Every structure is written in C-alpha cells, then in structure tokens.
Amino acid sequence: MNKIIPLSLVAIVSLYATEVYLAPIGVESTVITEVAEKAETSADVAVAISSRVPSIDMSRRSGIANDILIRGQKRDNISIEVDGTKINGACPNRMDPPTSHILANQIETIEVTEGPYDVATFGVMSGGVKIKTKKPTKNFKGEVNVGMGSFGYQKLGATVSGGNDLIRVSITASTEKSDQYKDGNGDTFAEQIINSPTAPATARYQTQYQDMQAYTKKSIMAKAFITVTDNQELRLSVTANRSDDILYANSTMDALYDDSNIYSIEYNINTLTDVYSNMNLQYYYSDVDHPMATTYRDASLGTNPVIKNWLTTEMQGLKFKNTFDIQGHKILVGIDGSKRTWDGHYESDNLPLATGRKSIDNAVTKNTAIFSKLSKSVGEVDFTFGARYDYTKITNDGGFQNNNYSGINANLTTTLNLDKESKVFFAFGQAKRVPDARELYFRGSQNNVVGTQDLKQTTNREIDVGYEIATDAYSAKVKSFYSRLSDYIYIQKGVSVRAFQNIDAIVYGMEVSGEYYVSDDITVEASASYKVGKKDNALAGQTDTDLADIAPLRANITTTYEYANHSSVSAEIQASDTWDTIDSDNGEQKLDAWAILNLKAKHSFNKSFELTVGVNNVFNTTYAVSNTYTDLTLLTTSTTTDVMLFNNPGRYVYTNVKYTF
C-alpha cells in the first residue's frame, strides 16, 4: 500500500479540525456527547471514541472488548472511571480492558483527560476517561434500538426511565452477538491464523470451532435516584455484564467467558450553605471473572491438555468530595481510598502444568489519598491548580517482596481569553503511577517469574500549550504537548524472567481538531494527531530507541449534509500514515499506510422512529490499526521474529432502527 496519504485530506486537516459532537472544555479535557446515539455498528466503547478524539488510538484485540491508548499510553498509565467507579480488567493480556465492562448504548457522555491533570482520580498519569451513564428521568420515557450488520451482527437494546418527586428509576439492557468478521482479504478470524506466516499450526482453531461466533454479550444496568430532601439525593446503581466465548485470533487463548459487576452507592448534597456548595460521598465495588483457555485450538487436540489461566479481580473504593465557593474561588477538597485484589491460577488436565499453580497470587493494592483543586478567574485569565498526595501499599501471597509507594501529583492550568471567540492555554503538571501486580509478580505457564518485584513507580512531567477559536463560520483547536517519563515501566522481548524494567523516555506531539460550516446544512469536520516517542537509551543488548505504541500521523475528515427532521447523510475518511517508526527490538513491525471511506444516512420519520443505514470500509481495504509490541502475548513461531497481525473488518454494511417513546 502506498505510504502517501491523499494531499487533499492532509490539506483539509491542516486547515480545520473536532467533530460537531465534541465539546472542548479546556486544555486538558474533551467531552464526547451523543455516545449511545452514534453506536450503530457496535456497543464497544473503544470503537465509539477512538475515531472521535484525535489523541485516542484503538488496540484491536477481537470483534469486541478492544482497548484504547491516549497519546500512546495504555494499561495503568491511564485511568478509566464509570460514574466515579474505578474499573479494572482481570486479564494480563488485555482481553477485558476496563472500557469493555460498560457498553456504548448505556453512556450519556465521555470526558477524556489528556495528560496528568486530574487530581481527583487514582492513576491518571498520562490521561484518563470518565464515563457518565444515562441518568433516570422523572418523566416516563424509553427507547428501543435494533441493529443488524454484516458477518451476522445483531444487537437489541432498550432503555426505560421514569418516576416521581420521590424516586426516579431507569433500566438499560442490551444483547449483542456477531460471527467472525472478514478482513479485506475475505479471511475470518480462523482463516487469518491459517494464512499468517507467523502463526504456529497449534494456534489454529479446531475444525469444529472454525466457524463459531466471535462473541455474545449481554448487559443490564439499573439505577435509582431517591430524593431525600430538596437538596439531597441518594443514588444507587448496578451494572452486570456477561460475555461468552470471545475469540482472540492472534493470541494463544480465547476467553471462555468474561463476567463483571459494578455497584455504586452515592449520596449527594447541594447548597449546604452559601459557601459550602456541594458534598458528595460515594462507595463503589466491582468484580471481574475471566477464564481464558486453549479449548478451541489445535494445541489441545488429542491427548494434549487444555491449558487455562483463570483470573479474577475486585475493586472497591470510597471517595468523599467537598466543593466550596469562597469569594470567587471554587475549591474542591477530598479524600480517596481504594483496594484492588488480583488473583489468578493455571489449570490443566495433564502435566507438566500443575493445576492450581498461581499466575498472580492474591496481590492486593491499597491506596489512600487526599486531593484539592482551586479554580479562579482574574480578569481575562482563568487559573486552576490541583494537588494530590498518594500512599500505596502492594502485597502478595506469592513470597515476593511487598512494596510501598508515595508521591505528590500537582498541576497548574491557565487560559487567557483573548476575546469572545478565541483563547490560548498553557498547562504543566506531574503525576505518578505505581506498578500493577502483573508487572511485579506475574508467573508464566512454565512457572517463570515474568514480573519484576522491585519496580519503581513511574513519573510523568508534562507541558501542554494550545489555541482555540470558535466563530459563526468555523471552530478549531490546536494542542501540543511534551511529556517526560521517568522510570517508565517497559517490557523487554525475549526475557522470560524479570522482563519488566524502568526506563526514561519522552513523548511529544500535536493534535488538531475543528469544524467548518459550509452552509446551514453542510458541515466539514476533521481531526488529526501526530506524536513521537523515544527512549533515552536502548535496553540492554538492544539498539532501538523508538518507544512502542506510538502510532503515526492519523486523520479523520467527515462531511455531513443535514436536512429536515434531524436527518442527515455523511461521508467520512479515516486515514493513517505508514507505521515505520517502531520498536523492532521489542516486537513491533512496519505497518502499511491505509485510508478507508465510511458512508452513513440517517432519516427521522417522526419524533419516534429513526432509521440509519451505512457502509464502513466501502472499498474493502485490508489494514491493521494496532502494532505488535511484546507487552501483549501474541502468536509467533520459533522460526520468525515477527508476530501475527490482526486485521480490521473489511466492508461492513449495517442498519439500525431506533424507536423513542
């Protein structure tokens, strides 16, 4: 595939840039609205936001449950929250990333923080995602959503909400399933393995499983908001997810199931006094049950044993926030505490793998913190200062050393409002994150200790600057950043014991986004991002100083024509440059440039019925969006250094019908 991205696309992206459903709220954050309304092809949150925020890339793992990166950062370098509830996955190979435990059709808004600028949340080192789900309404209302698409995709979702002055209740439920999609070459998951020169024969799906579904997923969320007094409210929430037989083609195992539960109890008080404007107390609990195994692969044929790695994780936390308005100063003060338990063991019906051998042995991460944030406007300048102190203790039952970490996170953001239409902004901050149990204690199936128990915590020191303008004719936002990572946690390929190590590195780049109103009916929206990542020094025995997971120049451009009754047609181009700045010493490989065209038409027949039809990847392009850094365990053979790539879907035709009442 040619490396050159069409010059017309680059020119337009350089001139304009964010989409109409993005609401920029500051140097450090972007809010995505209409998340549920635009989830026509999948309920996967990673799919929903990766094409809508220029700083976010997606790591393609399967047909569902994909992962995200913010400015090249993933795993514990970024934080995921759902309605204030901290979410973690159980799988060390990211088969169940945090975003997979909530569905797009349950979501009202998503706030994306880029950089170390959220002091109220544990673990926001290089960015974070705060998901707000739909709130119960007093008036009775509801929605039914039916979707179908290529490769046997079927979705059914419904939301009902209503109540009175005392209580408001809502229930959102959905079910979704799909066969294995085909890539641009016409290959299913099973056929991608067969046709890959780097996938071992033992990783192929057994004959009876080669045509099995890619996944099934069911979810239900229930909420109750109870009015205690005019200014006090008790908020209860529970979400249950049940996913079965999720296939991960370029991994050695598949998920037999992935079950999660999220519970939250929150008490909110507004306007206690003229000065004390809000008090919020929240307790939350979440758990994930995730067994993955070689059940469907040729590796378990005949007398060969099925190997299973069964992992569970639990997260519980308590957060107390207080907001004050004192003579034009908005002050947030709070305390935060959480406890994560992560446990895993191997199972096998034959030696040499002993059933019950631990992969992660009851690792417990306890965090306590205090935080504060001050916001103040002086003339045309807005200031925000935040600080947080964390103390974290990590223990385990595997005989490894226990670790204590402490650190201070702090940031300052300033915005100069040049006039009613434009502003410039500047921010700098520092944030830390502690190692997780996989990085410290994980054991491989051969009982080798992959983790490194004496890892230091990582520190990110970052500067962000930018300019934003919004007029009646167009809007645009340009942001640049420079991030210095000290003691960054990195994994080295080919090392089976103590594979993780601390390194120093930098990441810097630029993001542009905006929209141009051609007329009352036609809007052009575009976004692009570019970043560079470098290690200070190559790892021992290596020469490559490029940092992994740093995607190349990527851009989106969408033209939308709106007509009567909130109906519209749109054409979108998504494109990526060649990914040739890679960490080849640690598993990454060159990926071809690509560009795809997506078409969509939405027609509202009245206030109740809406029909959407569309075609993604119109020209059936074969392409991959995510690389093969050895941080993930992916398929390879003993005779090659390359790893199996997993291609994105080929041409995908879909339709969606929504009924609102």
Side-chain angles (χ1 to χ4, degrees):
M1 188 180 244
N2 293 332
K3 178 178 180 178
I4 299 174
I5 298 175
L7 292 178
S8 58
L9 173 60
V10 176
I12 293 173
V13 169
S14 299
L15 290 174
Y16 312 119
T18 171
E19 301 179 317
V20 69
Y21 39 77
L22 293 185
I25 64 172
V27 59
E28 77 283 5
S29 299
T30 301
V31 170
I32 310 171
T33 62
E34 300 182 1
V35 179
E37 290 81 357
K38 296 182 179 295
E40 297 101 347
T41 61
S42 173
D44 193 340
V45 174
V47 174
I49 65 176
S50 59
S51 63
R52 298 172 64 172
V53 179
S55 63
I56 291 184
D57 297 300
M58 186 179 78
S59 175
R60 168 66 71 176
R61 301 290 287 117
S62 181
I64 195 74
N66 296 294
D67 207 356
I68 64 168
L69 301 89
I70 301 177
R71 292 177 171 174
Q73 301 291 292
K74 63 182 182 182
R75 290 190 182 268
D76 284 15
N77 296 323
I78 62 176
S79 172
I80 310 294
E81 273 190 346
V82 179
D83 293 329
T85 300
K86 184 82 171 178
I87 303 296
N88 292 289
C91 181
N93 207 31
R94 301 298 280 188
M95 290 182 178
D96 66 329
T99 51
S100 70
H101 299 291
I102 197 74
L103 300 186
N105 65 308
Q106 299 168 335
I107 296 173
E108 191 72 38
T109 63
I110 299 176
E111 180 184 349
V112 179
T113 298
E114 298 145 328
Y117 302 114
D118 179 8
V119 296
T121 303
F122 177 47
V124 183
M125 188 194 78
S126 293
V129 174
K130 290 188 174 183
I131 297 170
K132 299 293 184 183
T133 58
K134 297 176 180 178
K135 295 181 179 179
T137 60
K138 180 178 177 180
N139 297 328
F140 179 74
K141 59 187 297 186
E143 176 184 300
V144 178
N145 199 302
V146 180
M148 294 182 292
S150 299
F151 320 122
Y153 176 74
Q154 298 178 36
K155 177 185 70 176
L156 174 62
T159 298
V160 177
S161 180
N164 52 36
D165 291 336
L166 176 63
I167 185 171
R168 293 169 288 148
V169 177
S170 68
I171 298 176
T172 301
S174 67
T175 179
E176 182 180 8
K177 62 182 179 180
S178 177
D179 296 334
Q180 302 170 44
Y181 66 69
K182 296 181 179 180
D183 65 10
N185 295 323
D187 292 336
T188 63
F189 292 9
E191 291 165 341
Q192 284 196 54
I193 299 175
I194 293 171
N195 295 330
S196 172
T198 62
T202 55
R204 295 177 179 179
Y205 286 103
Q206 297 176 28
T207 303
Q208 67 267 36
Y209 299 126
Q210 288 186 359
D211 295 324
M212 70 181 292
Q213 286 186 328
Y215 66 89
T216 61
K217 190 175 184 70
K218 298 177 181 179
S219 179
I220 185 167
M221 179 179 69
K223 287 186 172 185
F225 284 17
I226 302 169
T227 302
V228 180
T229 67
D230 289 343
N231 67 332
Q232 300 185 34
E233 189 171 64
L234 175 65
R235 302 167 181 171
L236 308 174
S237 175
V238 58
T239 303
N241 290 287
R242 301 293 182 266
S243 302
D244 294 304
D245 294 324
I246 311 103
L247 304 185
Y248 294 87
N250 68 334
S251 296
T252 57
M253 295 180 175
D254 305 290
L256 302 181
Y257 64 82
D258 192 77
D259 294 349
S260 66
N261 302 287
I262 306 171
Y263 307 93
S264 174
I265 302 174
E266 183 180 0
Y267 199 86
N268 189 75
I269 306 176
N270 291 321
T271 319
L272 285 84
T273 68
D274 292 340
V275 172
Y276 196 172
S277 58
N278 179 264
M279 184 187 78
N280 185 277
L281 177 65
Q282 182 182 23
Y283 169 79
Y284 62 84
Y285 172 87
S286 64
D287 62 71
V288 181
D289 184 6
H290 174 88
M292 54 180 174
T294 60
T295 305
Y296 309 127
R297 307 298 183 103
D298 282 356
S300 61
L301 279 175
T303 59
N304 295 322
V306 172
I307 298 175
K308 181 187 297 182
N309 190 1
W310 197 329
L311 297 114
T312 60
T313 188
E314 298 177 358
M315 185 75 178
Q316 56 183 318
L318 183 68
K319 185 176 292 188
F320 182 48
K321 297 185 293 184
N322 303 270
T323 305
F324 303 90
D325 289 316
I326 304 175
Q327 296 181 348
H329 298 76
K330 186 173 183 179
I331 303 171
L332 170 67
V333 179
I335 58 175
D336 186 15
S338 64
K339 175 185 176 182
R340 183 190 182 186
T341 303
W342 198 357
D343 192 63
H345 68 275
Y346 294 101
E347 292 185 2
S348 175
D349 52 12
N350 196 1
L351 294 176
L353 182 65
T355 294
R357 179 184 294 164
K358 288 288 189 177
S359 51
I360 296 176
D361 195 351
N362 194 38
V364 178
T365 301
K366 294 181 180 180
N367 171 262
T368 55
I370 57 174
F371 59 88
S372 182
K373 184 176 179 181
L374 169 66
S375 300
K376 171 69 175 177
S377 295
V378 180
E380 302 302 323
V381 183
D382 303 324
F383 295 94
T384 300
F385 172 76
R388 178 185 177 98
Y389 173 77
D390 284 284
Y391 176 76
T392 307
K393 183 176 182 179
I394 305 177
T395 61
N396 73 103
D397 292 344
F400 303 112
Q401 73 176 46
N402 299 323
N403 293 321
N404 297 328
Y405 302 93
S406 62
I408 296 177
N409 301 345
N411 62 75
L412 174 67
T413 66
T414 61
T415 301
L416 172 60
N417 299 289
L418 301 175
D419 50 43
K420 293 182 179 180
E421 296 180 337
S422 61
K423 57 186 176 183
V424 294
F425 40 77
F426 170 80
F428 65 92
Q430 169 182 291
K432 298 176 181 287
R433 76 94 162 172
V434 300
D436 68 17
R438 168 183 177 261
E439 296 161 338
L440 292 169
Y441 308 129
F442 185 76
R443 290 180 181 269
S445 60
Q446 303 304 313
N447 207 30
N448 53 307
V449 184
V450 180
T452 304
Q453 57 188 298
D454 56 355
L455 287 171
K456 300 176 183 178
Q457 62 181 333
T458 302
T459 302
N460 176 30
R461 297 182 179 93
E462 182 171 319
I463 297 174
D464 288 71
V465 295
Y467 172 77
E468 184 175 352
I469 185 171
T471 72
D472 293 337
Y474 65 91
S475 66
K477 188 175 185 179
V478 181
K479 299 172 64 175
S480 61
F481 70 96
Y482 180 90
S483 172
R484 159 59 66 179
L485 299 167
S486 302
D487 295 318
Y488 188 57
I489 298 173
Y490 211 73
I491 188 169
Q492 184 167 4
K493 182 180 179 181
V495 176
S496 59
V497 177
R498 293 177 62 89
F500 294 93
Q501 57 187 280
N502 292 115
I503 66 170
D504 295 332
I506 59 171
V507 181
Y508 60 89
M510 177 175 289
E511 299 141 12
V512 294
S513 56
E515 53 193 340
Y516 174 61
Y517 315 114
V518 179
S519 67
D520 291 342
D521 302 322
I522 300 175
T523 304
V524 177
E525 309 150 28
S527 63
S529 68
Y530 177 76
K531 49 195 171 289
V532 175
K534 292 287 184 181
K535 313 183 194 88
D536 284 8
N537 300 288
L539 277 60
Q542 299 182 354
T543 59
D544 201 328
T545 59
D546 292 314
L547 204 64
D549 288 328
I550 306 298
L553 172 66
R554 288 184 172 171
N556 290 3
I557 180 169
T558 304
T559 300
T560 302
Y561 169 67
E562 297 182 348
Y563 58 97
N565 299 323
H566 304 288
S567 301
S568 64
V569 293
S570 64
E572 176 191 44
I573 296 174
Q574 299 179 2
S576 174
D577 201 355
T578 302
W579 196 337
D580 55 4
T581 304
I582 57 174
D583 186 355
S584 56
D585 283 340
N586 291 297
E588 289 195 315
Q589 55 191 293
K590 179 180 176 181
L591 303 186
D592 289 336
W594 53 266
I596 62 171
L597 173 65
N598 302 326
L599 301 176
K600 182 171 71 173
K602 180 179 71 176
H603 184 78
S604 298
F605 293 92
N606 49 47
K607 293 182 179 180
S608 298
F609 281 98
E610 180 180 280
L611 173 66
T612 301
V613 295
V615 184
N616 288 346
N617 193 1
V618 172
F619 298 110
N620 203 33
T621 300
T622 303
Y623 69 107
V625 298
S626 46
N627 217 306
T628 52
Y629 172 39
T630 196
D631 185 47
L632 294 173
T633 302
L634 304 175
L635 297 180
T636 187
T637 66
S638 59
T639 59
T640 180
T641 59
D642 287 336
V643 176
M644 177 185 163
L645 286 171
F646 187 48
N647 291 329
N648 264 41
R651 184 183 298 112
Y652 184 90
V653 182
Y654 64 92
T655 183
N656 194 87
V657 178
K658 183 173 69 175
Y659 172 65
T660 304
F661 57 91

